Amino acid sequence: CGSGLSGDYISDEGHYWIGMDISPAMLDVAVEREVEGDLVLADVGHGIPFRPGMFDGCISISAVQWLCNADKKSHSPPKRLYRFFSTLYTALARGSRAVLQLYPENSEQLELITAQAMRAGFTGGMVVDYPNSAKAKKFFLCLFVGASGTLPKGLGTECADGEEIHQAKFTNERTRFRNAKGKSVKKSRDWILEKKERRRRQGKEVRADTKYTGRKRRPRF
């Protein structure tokens, strides 16, 4: 839930909500903003800690893809994803929906997330807005509990001749400094920025990013 910006919109629509986040710093901001929802400090990779059938719906914005990272040696992305989806499925009432917006790095990551959701019992699929746009493209995992519903159509999915686009194109621009296992090369600028971002999400103090971040120093004479 971060600082609760999306929660404000949910409150304006007349709904009650409970937000979860792994970052104490982000939740502190939400408390300072006096959001109307209840806040829980938790790692969704450990599961959703609520009783069965408690919620009528679930919304997640740019969070699920972080479960694909192994921040600790004990972390297994497939297990953490399954734990999240299986407990989410239990916490949702029958006939409810979950919409999770995410930014997958590649098609393999997208398939892993979708497979674990379906394994947990969900039905539904992926909806992509503007699949051929580098900036406007957004992925939405639309899930149903119980009876399968109709997936909405993604924005910008119609071609000039009326045909629809069902697949999104991935580029390698963001992964040019990654090794064969899909991880950023150790000590590279991308590796350092990713590590700093993880620490920020954990609420730790991190130096600001500058043009000198990750730059190698010349040897001294």
Side-chain angles (χ1 to χ4, degrees), residues 18 48-58 85-97 122 145-146:
I18 297 177
I48 307 298
F50 297 99
R51 62 180 174 81
M54 183 173 180
F55 297 101
D56 296 320
C58 171
F85 283 118
S86 60
T87 53
L88 175 63
Y89 185 90
T90 302
L92 290 171
R94 186 170 181 83
S96 59
R97 292 174 291 177
F122 284 105
V145 179

Side-chain angles (χ1 to χ4, degrees), residues 20 40-44 46-51 54-55 83 87 91:
M20 297 175 60
V40 178
L41 176 64
D43 178 2
V44 295
H46 293 163
I48 307 298
F50 297 99
R51 62 180 174 81
M54 183 173 180
F55 297 101
R83 178 66 178 171
T87 53

Side-chain angles (χ1 to χ4, degrees), residues 23-217:
S23 170
M26 295 295 285
L27 294 178
D28 288 342
V29 175
V31 172
E32 292 175 2
R33 295 182 61 251
E34 298 182 350
V35 297
E36 295 184 20
D38 295 322
L39 305 173
V40 178
L41 176 64
D43 178 2
V44 295
H46 293 163
I48 307 298
F50 297 99
R51 62 180 174 81
M54 183 173 180
F55 297 101
D56 296 320
C58 171
I59 297 174
S60 174
I61 300 175
S62 186
V64 179
Q65 72 271 4
W66 297 106
L67 293 178
C68 295
N69 296 340
D71 298 328
K72 299 179 180 179
K73 291 183 178 179
S74 59
H75 283 179
S76 169
K79 291 182 179 179
R80 284 169 58 80
L81 283 165
Y82 179 72
R83 178 66 178 171
F84 165 66
F85 283 118
S86 60
T87 53
L88 175 63
Y89 185 90
T90 302
L92 290 171
R94 186 170 181 83
S96 59
R97 292 174 291 177
V99 179
L100 302 91
Q101 186 267 327
L102 62 152
Y103 291 104
E105 291 185 353
N106 47 52
S107 58
E108 289 78 12
Q109 197 174 89
L110 193 64
E111 291 173 2
L112 173 62
I113 294 173
T114 305
Q116 296 304 95
M118 301 306 162
R119 181 187 169 201
F122 284 105
T123 57
M126 193 69 63
V127 176
V128 185
D129 284 351
Y130 306 104
N132 291 324
S133 172
K135 295 183 179 180
K137 178 169 57 180
K138 280 187 172 58
F139 294 82
F140 298 88
L141 183 58
C142 302
L143 304 174
F144 304 96
V145 179
S148 179
T150 303
L151 289 175
K153 292 184 178 180
L155 300 177
T157 56
E158 291 188 359
C159 301
D161 56 1
E163 294 182 358
E164 292 187 1
I165 304 171
H166 297 283
Q167 295 183 347
K169 295 181 180 179
F170 286 88
T171 62
N172 293 325
E173 294 178 0
R174 295 174 57 193
T175 60
R176 62 187 185 279
F177 296 114
R178 296 180 180 276
N179 58 25
K181 294 183 179 180
K183 297 181 180 180
S184 297
V185 177
K186 195 170 184 179
K187 303 299 183 180
S188 67
R189 177 179 171 84
D190 285 357
W191 182 85
I192 294 173
L193 291 175
E194 289 173 3
K195 186 175 182 179
K196 293 175 71 175
E197 181 62 26
R198 286 197 299 270
R199 289 182 174 273
R200 289 192 185 98
R201 291 182 60 83
Q202 294 170 357
K204 299 179 181 179
E205 293 186 5
V206 181
R207 291 184 180 180
D209 299 334
T210 68
K211 64 179 181 180
Y212 301 106
T213 301
R215 181 178 292 185
K216 294 183 179 180
R217 296 185 180 185

